[in-house]
Amino acid sequence: MASKVAAKFVSYRVSQVALASHYTDKEPVVAAGSWDEGPSNRIQLLGYGPKLDAEGSPRLLAVHRCHGDVMCLRFDPIYQNLFVGLGTGELVAMATTAEEEPGSNNGSGERQRPRLLRQLGQGWRPSTDSFGSGAVSALAIRDGWHALAGWESGRLVCCSLAVEVPDGGCSDAATLRPASGCGRESVGLDSCCVTGADFIDQNAACTVNSMGQLKLWDLRTGLGQYDKVLTVAGDPKAMHCARRHPAQPHLVATGASGGCLCLWDLRQEKFPVSIVELDDGHVTQVEFHPVQGDLLFVSTMAGQLYAIRLSDSGGGGSAALTDNPHLTAVLPASQKLPVNSFCLGEDFLCAGTEDELLYAAAGVCL
Amino acid sequence: MFQGEAASSQQPESSVALPLPTVEAGCQLGAAWSSLGAVVTVFKAAAAASSRPAVAAASSGHLLECRWSTEFHDCDTLRRLAAESHRVFLTCQRLGDASVGSSAETREALLRCSKEYRALMHDCASELMDSAAAATDEPEAAAFLENQSQLLAACQILWHLVEILWVAPRYQSAAAAPQILLELVDWARLHCPQPDRWIAELLESANATDAPELHQRFWDSLYLLVLQGRTVDARNLLSQHSQAGRQQQLKDAMELLNMPKYSFVRDSQSVRKFDVAHCLWQKDVRVRLEAGLFAAHPQLELLVELLAGDEDAFARPEIVGLCDSWYQLLLARLLLTNPTGSLDCLGREAPEAEALYKRDRPSQRDGDGDGLLDGVLVRLLFDGQVGQFLAEAAGCLGSNWWFVAHLADLLHHCLGGEVGGCSGGGFGAIREHFLLEYSHSMLGRAALWQLAVSYLDYCSNYGRHYQPSPHAAAATPQEALLVRVPPESQRKAEQIFAACHARGLLDSANTVARTVARRALDKGCLGNALTWAIRARDPRLVAAIADKFLLGAGGDSAGLARAASADALDCLATSALLSNRMAFLCQYKLFHDRVSAGQLAEAADVAAQLLSSRMIPRRYWLSLLQDCLPLLELRHQAVFTSAQLFDLMHALAELRQADCAPAERLSVVQASLSDALRRAMIDENFHYSSASSSLMELMLACRFSASANSRHRSWLLRRVSMATHSAGAESSDWFRGSAGASSRFLTPFSSWTRVWKLGSTMYSMKPATLYIDRLELIIKSDNPVCMDKSKPPDTAREPSIPAAGGPSIPQPSNMEVDSAANPAETPTPRSGASQNDGFQVVNRRRRDDKTSAGSERKRQQPDERTDPSLDPKRPKEANAGTYAKVATEPKFKICMEASIGMIDDFLWENDALDIKVEAIRNANGSVILAFKDEAQLELALANLVSISWDTCTTALPPLVVERARPPPPCRRYRAFYSGSRSIEEIRARLLSKNPDLPQDGIRAFKEVPAKGAPGKTLYMGFSAEWEDALKKDDFAAYIGAWKIVFHLLLRRRPAGDRR
């Protein structure tokens, strides 16, 4: 599958990884967050060399200590701010800046790699109710400013990053707050833990929850009431992730318990287009390849990361999963503990595992 | 909050001072273990000692968290060691699963694993040393890192030795002994880099001076190189001597340094060839030495003596002093004196070498060295005591179980259980003990629970479940560990739950799910709580969550709708069946969803099912009924069917009876229900035969409408009369819907009333061999019943009450008119009688002669008083039924219960009431139930409310009602009897039983022609006692009837019975 796979032990359980898409795949920059480490929780910025040179070992660019588990991690695609959802329920925005190292030669005109990770303003959390909202459990970013975050309590908030540039020109005065222009109601409530979220387009978003529901939200009317709910027939299976197709926004892939991978056509009424049972482990994340939309990557709690080629058998020219899709393993078979998260570039893949490994794979296009 | 790190891997027994700032002398301290172990929370207890640590700690304000075995938690390098070695460990398990110490390939693979372990240790030791060097600002941290680095380096040395001796696959080969010796010498050299450092210094100084031999370490380096078998290096160094090209001794010595080298080939010849070559070479050395060629050069002579294997030379203090350890000396001696000897020599000569080594080091005793490498462990290895070696190593390393656990596991896979020095269960037990301890040591940090659980996977005896074990006293099996990992977040809970499931620990998985559900419930996250409760398959928890939903509802309609609006209830599917409450909530939500979606008929169906199934708590009945009001009041559309409306009416009636809802609200619902029922019946062109118990429900509706709308009531009563009128003709249709193994059928009482009075319809059982468990008749009457026949009622008669029987009595067309026109005249003989307005219609119809309908009826029935049974002059027994409202309990219910048996075997009789039900086998094989009531006038006015039965057959509809023949003109034909006894005999018997029985009653029986079938003999059983156990939820209770149970006694068949 991948032309080269490198692994690096990072001495913390990798909870989330995110790829800074601003940088090219030749020298990718990855953010990795830890969990379950108590006061030692951290976010690291790691830079990989071109073609995973130098034994594939990443270079540590920056470290930021966190006060809680890193539950969600997302780069915004435009400004490369890093949005972090913490186990404490706090949503934090961080800026990655490329401060020049003394004596370094950066006159080549190439974009500098970030050297610093600093928090922008104060973190934001939903207004405290009597019991708290639990950890941030889902996060999606749109157009650099807006974030759709879900909490374990079912709270759903559309936030915006408001940058206030005073006279002094200090850009650190950015704060997260519920988006005022995001619709009438920027705060919603799902019935249970929101486990995954993604923007469908400018005005729509989808979320999945632990009851096994895929909900569509019309952001123009706000988050007060969902627009549509889709479920898998039978007993509920908790969904853990959702991602929309990069080119066909009506296609959404979700992963659920029991290795259940579903492909939904949002134009359909209620049920998924395709359902595939992968293995015993829960699906922890699904991602479409950003360029090859018929390539779907799936990680599981059984320690697998598969690449699946979609077929064109779906109605309306949309892709679908065959009954027995060919699963191409990306990681070595020795991986047994859960793959918690992975991020995908055009030709680069990075995966973080429960046994403190950070895999990097080059040449992931089939 | 303070956090104290009491880590001491080397000396766990040492005392640690806890920095509790507010503790003064004499105060009490408390301690609590953490859930995972390796952590103790110490706190200052309050003066009044509390049994709960948290309470006590809160009173003092300080908690001190004491952890130990934390080296793997706080040092990134050691975390990497733990994580990376885990993967090698898993590889070993895969290899071990294939075969234990069998094939060479497996052994080679295990050797690679061993080398991976060593490389990892070496890498981590180097990294730790670098970190220690970098941590100049923190001397304590630097010391810790350096200490750990040295420990790992020492571990690596020992591991290497074990690898050479036990892991390498050539261990079994005899030809491998010289090779192993060479490797041991190399091992000693690798871990003693002293000569290389000296040579480097020497060469640097040689640049300044032209005579390196004058350097103090020149000859020491030469000797060490020879002791390490590095004769080539020694020759090269000797060639640096300033006189190397000029002195013959030096040339000779350099020539002698061409010592034969053994190369391992898998045959015994290679050993023999090497042995010969070595002997020849050493003989040449000795010859030259004895010739005194080197006598003038003592340092050179000592070198040659070493080459010659001279024992005295090895004992020279300057040689012994060069060695860092006794085993270095031992290996050098073996290399130069007996290079082809077996490995047994290691253990045999070790004591001598050790004694020699310690001779010049009087201060060094056993255990005084650096712990691991002081020689004790190496000697155990040389002696082949691997098990003992591991035990000693575990003792030396204290709480660091990493080394012994992985090494024991590797040796287990290489050697199986055939290892020396093992006791108490073999090598596998020691390995498992170390693995248990190692996994337990990782629990001090929650982040390592996955690794700990993974190691426990391979502890087959004590890893999964609790087992009494001398080795695993401190270990925590998976089933206990997984439920103790704190599920701080949903995601972590998912992982713990999945880990439990992957290992088949379903109880633990349920426990975890239950824990998470309860936490979520406490936080008020009902959706999450429900999700996890369903996973735990815990009906009680699901019910508790449903209660929470309902508690939030508050009992009103809006609250209930709000509770059901949680879309978590949407996709419960079969999980909703875990609890009745939850099922109700889901159905209630379904009702609302369907209403919202405009599926009104489906919504009505759901509501009717909810109310008829009694699944819904009673306090929500009114809410649901009120939710139905918009549907009921739809004028243009009949959403509910009449059958569904009857269900709603039943529920409302029950609510009214329970008196648990405001009467005004009930009235509103009742009015809507009546109206909707009228419309539904019109829409359906209602006919009683379309539904099984429709007639009775009609009567129920009448009763409802009595207080709601007189117009509706009239309409309904008209329907009732129509149904009653044609009951005989089509009654068989009613019963066909009641087939089943245990069918309970409630027939319309009015039709039975008619039968009761007319005796015109036969009720037959098919098949004839039907066995019944129970037959129950419910009879109701508003008339007085004289329970004590010796004391007839003495109150005034009710002359308007009709006589029993008579073909002209039922005139339904008048009934509703009478009742509707005079509702106020409804007699209320006792409190609660108003509930039975609908039932009293028939009995009151004579009282309304003044009405037009009454006149019409009067025209059809000229004179009731002409009926002899109503003649006041008749005997009082015959006129018992004419006594009205004389008894204080005018209503009763008769339940006749039969034991198991054929239905045609019995005659049921209530002795007290003189009610007789006879089961007769008909000529065509069916069984007839006949009611012999003719003689009992006081019962003639009673209404047979219902008949129900339980059968134990699964045949066709067991009871069919067939209209055998047209209603007889004479009311005396009450039943048809086919038997061998004559009617006179029966009559005589009845008379003997009740001498006061009038002859008219006996005439009621007539023998039916048997048409070839043999005659039947009736055997009768008589009840012994009455039972008055009225149940509130019973239908009889609803109508205000009595319950009287007859226990039937089987009577033995007389001899000669031919059936």
Side-chain angles (χ1 to χ4, degrees):
Chain A
M1 169 63 207
S3 60
K4 182 175 182 180
V5 178
K8 163 82 174 172
F9 282 94
V10 289
S11 298
Y12 55 83
R13 287 166 60 194
V14 185
S15 168
Q16 289 287 315
V17 290
L19 179 66
S21 57
H22 204 54
Y23 306 94
T24 63
D25 275 352
K26 291 178 182 175
E27 295 186 357
V29 172
V30 169
S34 71
W35 73 323
D36 238 0
E37 301 288 341
S40 305
N41 274 315
R42 69 201 89 167
I43 299 171
Q44 285 187 342
L45 273 186
L46 302 158
Y48 283 89
K51 302 288 182 187
L52 298 180
D53 59 352
E55 300 170 355
S57 183
R59 184 179 167 198
L60 181 62
L61 302 177
V63 182
H64 182 87
R65 293 276 174 179
C66 297
H67 292 293
D69 297 339
V70 179
M71 305 302 285
C72 301
L73 207 57
R74 285 267 161 192
F75 275 106
D76 85 60
I78 298 175
Y79 304 102
Q80 295 302 299
N81 290 321
L82 187 61
F83 288 78
V84 186
L86 295 176
T88 57
E90 203 172 11
L91 191 62
V92 175
M94 309 183 88
T96 57
T97 54
E99 289 190 353
E100 200 168 320
E101 283 183 344
S104 64
N105 181 14
N106 287 312
S108 60
E110 292 182 0
R111 188 177 300 276
Q112 286 182 278
R113 285 184 168 189
R115 297 284 178 199
L116 195 62
L117 202 56
R118 57 190 167 82
Q119 186 169 334
L120 291 173
Q122 295 294 317
W124 185 86
R125 73 176 75 202
S127 58
T128 53
D129 50 14
S130 55
F131 300 109
S133 292
V136 182
S137 50
L139 184 61
I141 305 295
R142 186 192 70 188
D143 66 22
W145 297 110
H146 289 107
L148 178 66
W151 276 258
E152 285 185 347
S153 62
R155 194 66 58 96
L156 201 61
V157 178
C158 197
C159 293
S160 66
L161 185 66
V163 179
E164 300 163 4
V165 183
D167 295 339
C170 175
S171 62
D172 281 359
T175 54
L176 271 170
R177 60 189 176 206
S180 55
C182 195
R184 284 186 302 161
E185 292 181 62
S186 57
V187 177
L189 189 63
D190 202 346
S191 55
C192 51
C193 175
V194 181
T195 49
D198 201 4
F199 283 99
I200 303 296
D201 55 31
Q202 286 293 315
N203 296 319
C206 69
T207 61
V208 291
N209 64 21
S210 59
M211 192 56 84
Q213 295 169 316
L214 170 64
K215 288 182 177 173
L216 304 181
W217 306 83
D218 189 345
L219 299 178
R220 292 168 298 189
T221 58
L223 298 172
Q225 178 63 36
Y226 58 82
D227 193 32
K228 195 175 176 183
V229 60
L230 302 100
T231 53
V232 180
D235 281 339
K237 279 185 177 177
M239 290 192 189
H240 303 301
C241 49
R243 193 66 66 219
R244 77 167 176 97
H245 193 279
Q248 304 177 55
H250 60 274
L251 269 186
V252 171
T254 62
S257 299
C260 184
L261 174 66
C262 299
L263 203 60
W264 306 79
D265 188 341
L266 301 183
R267 300 169 301 185
Q268 307 264 344
E269 268 306 310
K270 191 168 175 64
F271 300 111
V273 176
S274 319
I275 301 179
V276 174
E277 303 257 343
L278 293 179
D279 52 22
D280 290 338
H282 302 339
V283 175
T284 54
Q285 192 171 348
V286 289
E287 290 280 350
F288 287 98
H289 192 276
V291 177
Q292 299 183 24
D294 60 343
L295 202 54
L296 184 65
F297 288 79
V298 185
S299 63
T300 72
M301 214 174 267
Q304 303 296 333
L305 202 160
Y306 296 118
I308 303 173
R309 179 74 72 180
L310 303 180
S311 66
D312 292 331
S313 59
S318 60
L321 286 165
T322 57
D323 290 339
N324 293 306
H326 178 64
L327 307 176
T328 309
V330 179
L331 302 184
S334 58
Q335 180 60 39
K336 295 296 177 193
L337 290 186
V339 179
N340 284 331
S341 173
F342 67 94
C343 53
L344 198 57
E346 286 184 19
D347 196 35
F348 176 79
L349 182 145
C350 182
T353 71
E354 191 70 4
D355 49 353
E356 306 176 6
L357 260 174
L358 204 60
Y359 285 102
V364 292
C365 293
L366 291 177
Chain B
M1 171 84 74
F2 299 92
Q3 178 164 343
E5 294 293 344
S8 176
S9 62
Q10 295 292 331
Q11 297 171 331
E13 68 279 0
S14 62
S15 61
V16 176
L18 301 180
L20 272 172
T22 60
V23 171
E24 61 275 7
C27 77
Q28 291 183 332
L29 290 178
W33 286 92
S34 80
S35 59
L36 283 176
V39 180
V40 160
T41 304
V42 181
F43 51 88
K44 179 185 171 187
S50 169
S51 59
R52 296 178 59 192
V55 175
S59 65
S60 67
H62 294 285
L63 291 173
L64 188 71
E65 196 173 80
C66 302
R67 297 176 180 269
W68 56 95
S69 306
T70 57
E71 55 267 27
F72 277 110
H73 313 153
D74 301 327
C75 175
D76 281 356
T77 306
L78 293 176
R79 278 286 293 272
R80 183 165 73 87
L81 174 70
E84 206 163 345
S85 59
H86 174 249
R87 296 177 73 83
V88 186
F89 174 80
L90 291 182
T91 306
C92 285
Q93 308 316 304
R94 280 197 297 277
L95 293 170
D97 288 344
S99 60
V100 177
S102 60
S103 67
E105 291 81 10
T106 306
R107 204 61 183 274
E108 288 289 349
L110 288 170
L111 181 62
R112 281 196 296 275
C113 288
S114 175
K115 288 179 177 173
E116 281 186 50
Y117 277 126
R118 281 203 296 121
L120 184 58
M121 281 188 277
H122 179 77
D123 191 22
C124 288
S126 303
E127 194 174 304
L128 282 170
M129 192 56 79
D130 294 344
S131 302
T136 52
D137 297 339
E138 303 173 37
E140 286 186 6
F144 170 76
L145 293 173
E146 193 173 344
N147 184 27
Q148 291 296 321
S149 173
Q150 291 170 356
L151 194 67
L152 267 183
C155 287
Q156 188 213 348
I157 292 171
L158 286 175
W159 191 294
H160 191 185
L161 181 57
V162 172
E163 181 184 301
I164 292 169
L165 290 175
W166 301 96
V167 179
R170 57 184 174 274
Y171 172 70
Q172 305 292 338
S173 169
Q179 179 66 22
I180 290 174
L181 184 59
L182 281 178
E183 290 186 9
L184 287 174
V185 172
D186 276 344
W187 165 74
R189 175 180 62 82
L190 283 173
H191 304 304
C192 179
Q194 215 164 20
D196 295 315
R197 287 203 298 270
W198 288 345
I199 289 168
E201 292 175 11
L202 189 147
L203 292 177
E204 283 179 5
S205 62
N207 291 332
T209 62
D210 292 336
E213 68 274 12
L214 298 180
H215 193 278
Q216 57 178 351
R217 291 297 183 189
F218 180 82
W219 292 105
D220 289 346
S221 301
L222 265 178
Y223 298 148
L224 263 182
L225 288 173
V226 169
L227 289 176
Q228 291 179 353
R230 299 162 64 184
T231 51
V232 177
D233 293 338
R235 191 172 66 238
N236 291 337
L237 180 60
L238 192 57
S239 66
Q240 301 297 319
H241 195 283
S242 59
Q243 303 296 322
R246 293 190 284 272
Q247 286 189 4
Q248 186 58 39
Q249 298 98 320
L250 290 173
K251 289 180 182 176
D252 289 343
M254 288 168 65
E255 187 182 342
L256 290 176
L257 281 172
N258 289 322
M259 189 173 72
K261 279 280 184 184
Y262 177 75
S263 59
F264 176 70
V265 184
R266 288 183 181 274
D267 60 17
S268 56
Q269 290 297 321
S270 62
V271 179
R272 198 165 297 127
K273 287 176 186 171
F274 168 73
D275 201 17
V276 170
H278 187 267
C279 287
L280 288 174
W281 168 78
Q282 213 160 38
K283 187 177 180 182
D284 185 25
V285 174
R286 287 200 193 97
V287 166
R288 297 195 191 193
L289 189 63
E290 289 167 2
L293 292 179
F294 308 103
H297 206 309
Q299 291 147 322
L300 202 57
E301 188 178 26
L302 179 58
L303 181 71
V304 177
E305 283 174 359
L306 289 175
L307 290 175
D310 189 354
E311 297 286 349
D312 295 336
F314 285 104
R316 299 266 290 267
E318 55 267 38
I319 297 301
V320 174
L322 286 175
C323 295
D324 283 340
S325 58
W326 61 264
Y327 45 82
Q328 194 178 0
L329 184 63
L330 168 69
L331 292 172
R333 284 178 58 181
L334 283 177
L335 178 70
L336 294 169
T337 57
N338 187 15
T340 57
S342 68
L343 291 177
D344 296 338
C345 301
L346 286 171
R348 209 166 43 237
E349 299 189 12
E352 185 181 348
E354 194 172 1
L356 194 62
Y357 177 75
K358 290 180 179 174
R359 181 194 61 192
D360 297 334
R361 294 173 174 81
S363 63
Q364 190 166 347
R365 296 288 182 266
D366 286 347
D368 290 345
D370 55 2
L372 286 177
L373 299 176
D374 61 354
V376 176
L377 297 176
V378 178
R379 184 170 170 184
L380 284 171
L381 284 177
F382 285 171
D383 288 342
Q385 300 292 320
V386 181
Q388 190 64 30
F389 159 77
L390 288 171
E392 291 288 337
C396 292
L397 290 168
S399 61
N400 185 349
W401 297 96
W402 180 92
F403 173 74
V404 286
H406 289 90
L407 186 57
D409 175 71
L410 182 70
L411 288 173
H412 171 71
H413 291 305
C414 290
L415 310 175
E418 302 163 0
V419 184
C422 296
S423 62
F427 200 73
I430 293 178
R431 164 192 172 267
E432 182 160 336
H433 166 62
F434 289 148
L435 287 179
L436 288 170
E437 292 287 0
Y438 177 58
S439 68
H440 186 65
S441 72
M442 284 193 283
L443 298 180
R445 186 74 168 261
L448 296 174
W449 69 269
Q450 290 260 31
L451 292 186
V453 169
S454 177
Y455 276 99
L456 289 178
D457 281 340
Y458 300 98
C459 298
S460 55
N461 293 328
Y462 307 106
R464 291 170 65 82
H465 307 287
Y466 274 116
Q467 298 275 351
S469 163
H471 298 295
T476 308
Q478 283 175 342
E479 64 177 3
L481 190 153
L482 284 168
V483 299
R484 290 183 195 172
V485 178
E488 293 105 347
S489 61
Q490 296 281 318
R491 208 171 120 199
K492 189 172 177 184
E494 288 276 2
Q495 284 203 344
I496 301 168
F497 187 77
C500 292
H501 260 283
R503 289 161 177 83
L505 300 170
L506 298 184
D507 287 343
S508 299
N510 289 345
T511 306
V512 170
R514 206 174 295 124
T515 305
V516 181
R518 289 211 175 275
R519 288 188 180 192
L521 192 60
D522 292 343
K523 288 182 178 178
C525 301
L526 296 185
N528 289 342
L530 182 58
T531 311
W532 286 100
I534 289 171
R535 291 189 191 190
R537 312 300 296 176
D538 188 340
R540 293 176 63 184
L541 197 51
V542 172
I545 294 165
D547 281 342
K548 282 271 188 182
F549 272 111
L550 294 173
L551 193 66
D556 61 335
S557 180
L560 195 59
R562 202 167 48 246
S565 66
D567 55 13
L569 306 176
D570 264 340
C571 47
L572 291 186
T574 58
S575 305
L577 301 178
L578 282 171
S579 152
N580 271 349
R581 300 277 171 84
M582 192 53 71
F584 153 61
L585 260 181
C586 292
Q587 288 293 307
Y588 186 76
K589 178 169 174 51
L590 184 65
F591 167 73
H592 272 282
D593 289 347
R594 289 189 168 170
V595 169
S596 305
Q599 301 170 340
L600 301 184
E602 290 83 354
D605 191 34
V606 171
Q609 284 181 11
L610 268 177
L611 285 169
S612 63
S613 66
R614 299 295 191 267
M615 177 196 302
I616 167 172
R618 183 175 281 174
R619 66 176 183 271
Y620 297 111
W621 287 12
L622 185 58
S623 300
L624 182 56
L625 286 169
Q626 285 180 325
D627 286 341
C628 294
L629 283 181
L631 305 184
L632 291 170
E633 291 168 356
L634 283 176
R635 297 284 171 188
H636 61 283
Q637 183 184 3
V639 177
F640 287 89
T641 65
S642 57
Q644 291 167 345
L645 286 168
F646 285 132
D647 288 336
L648 268 58
M649 282 179 173
H650 277 293
L652 189 61
E654 203 166 320
L655 265 186
R656 189 181 287 279
Q657 190 181 17
D659 197 18
C660 60
E664 311 84 55
R665 293 166 69 184
L666 289 177
S667 300
V668 171
V669 177
Q670 182 171 318
S672 295
L673 272 177
S674 303
D675 196 30
L677 181 62
R678 180 182 59 82
R679 289 199 308 275
M681 286 181 167
I682 293 170
D683 285 354
E684 295 169 10
N685 190 17
F686 178 79
H687 195 265
Y688 65 91
S689 60
S690 62
S692 60
S693 54
S694 54
L695 188 54
M696 189 182 65
E697 285 159 349
L698 265 180
M699 297 303 292
L700 184 66
C702 284
R703 194 174 145 258
F704 271 108
S705 60
S707 59
N709 187 325
S710 62
R711 188 164 149 258
H712 293 168
R713 188 178 181 219
S714 302
W715 187 87
L716 285 167
L717 285 175
R718 192 159 55 241
R719 289 283 171 178
V720 170
S721 66
M722 291 166 60
T724 309
H725 181 64
S726 53
E730 301 186 26
S731 56
S732 60
D733 293 336
W734 305 354
F735 292 92
R736 288 204 179 104
S738 62
S742 177
S743 58
R744 182 180 178 84
F745 187 78
L746 199 62
T747 67
F749 60 87
S750 293
S751 64
W752 284 86
T753 302
R754 181 165 174 249
V755 170
W756 181 267
K757 290 174 180 173
L758 299 179
S760 60
T761 306
M762 292 184 295
Y763 302 87
S764 62
M765 294 282 186
K766 284 183 179 178
T769 56
L770 179 73
Y771 278 79
I772 64 165
D773 291 336
R774 185 189 56 78
L775 176 71
E776 181 184 87
L777 307 174
I778 299 177
I779 301 170
K780 172 186 172 292
S781 173
D782 290 333
N783 299 318
V785 177
C786 182
M787 300 299 178
D788 185 358
K789 292 182 182 308
S790 63
K791 188 179 179 183
D794 54 358
T795 53
R797 294 183 178 180
E798 177 68 357
S800 62
I801 293 179
S808 60
I809 289 178
Q811 293 299 330
S813 60
N814 299 330
M815 292 161 54
E816 76 281 9
V817 179
D818 296 345
S819 303
N822 300 284
E825 295 179 22
T826 301
T828 54
R830 66 178 176 91
S831 61
S834 62
Q835 295 178 359
N836 302 290
D837 296 343
F839 298 112
Q840 293 171 355
V841 170
V842 175
N843 297 328
R844 289 199 308 269
R845 61 185 179 273
R846 292 284 189 279
R847 304 167 63 197
D848 302 319
D849 292 344
K850 293 176 183 175
T851 63
S852 59
S855 303
E856 184 183 350
R857 178 198 48 75
K858 213 169 183 178
R859 285 192 298 274
Q860 293 171 357
Q861 301 175 11
D863 188 6
E864 287 285 340
R865 292 182 184 277
T866 57
D867 192 321
S869 66
L870 294 176
D871 188 355
K873 294 188 174 64
R874 292 181 60 211
K876 60 180 182 182
E877 291 81 6
N879 289 330
T882 62
Y883 297 109
K885 309 184 196 61
V886 289
T888 54
E889 295 166 331
K891 303 169 188 176
F892 57 89
K893 166 193 172 186
I894 299 173
C895 297
M896 295 187 172
E897 292 190 352
S899 308
I900 296 174
M902 290 174 63
I903 194 164
D904 60 346
D905 278 348
F906 300 105
L907 171 69
W908 291 282
E909 181 167 348
N910 185 318
D911 195 20
L913 298 175
D914 284 335
I915 296 175
K916 296 180 179 62
V917 180
E918 192 171 3
I920 308 167
R921 185 183 292 275
N922 204 351
N924 61 2
S926 64
V927 176
I928 301 169
L929 287 182
F931 304 95
K932 298 188 286 188
D933 65 319
E934 174 62 20
Q936 313 304 314
L937 292 182
E938 74 272 25
L939 296 177
L941 301 179
N943 299 326
L944 177 61
V945 175
S946 75
I947 176 168
S948 61
W949 67 93
D950 290 341
T951 71
C952 54
T953 67
T954 57
L956 293 171
L959 180 60
V960 296
V961 178
E962 42 183 43
R963 179 107 178 192
R965 56 196 67 197
C970 177
R971 62 184 174 85
R972 292 174 182 172
Y973 290 96
R974 288 288 178 262
F976 304 91
Y977 167 61
S978 171
S980 58
R981 288 181 299 175
S982 67
I983 196 71
E984 286 74 20
E985 289 175 17
I986 297 175
R987 185 179 302 164
R989 176 176 180 164
L990 289 174
L991 283 173
S992 65
K993 180 174 173 52
N994 190 356
D996 298 333
L997 198 65
Q999 293 300 307
D1000 289 347
I1002 301 174
R1003 287 199 304 272
F1005 300 96
K1006 175 190 175 185
E1007 190 163 356
V1008 177
K1011 291 184 180 178
K1016 308 293 187 298
T1017 303
L1018 292 178
Y1019 300 102
M1020 290 179 280
F1022 298 99
S1023 66
E1025 57 185 357
W1026 293 49
E1027 182 183 346
D1028 187 354
L1030 189 63
K1031 295 180 179 176
K1032 286 187 177 180
D1033 57 351
D1034 202 320
F1035 176 75
Y1038 167 67
I1039 63 172
W1042 296 86
K1043 180 181 180 185
I1044 304 169
V1045 179
F1046 289 77
H1047 297 286
L1048 295 178
L1049 307 173
L1050 272 177
R1051 218 179 68 173
R1052 205 178 149 194
R1053 289 181 185 179
D1057 187 353
R1058 290 172 298 174
R1059 284 194 304 170

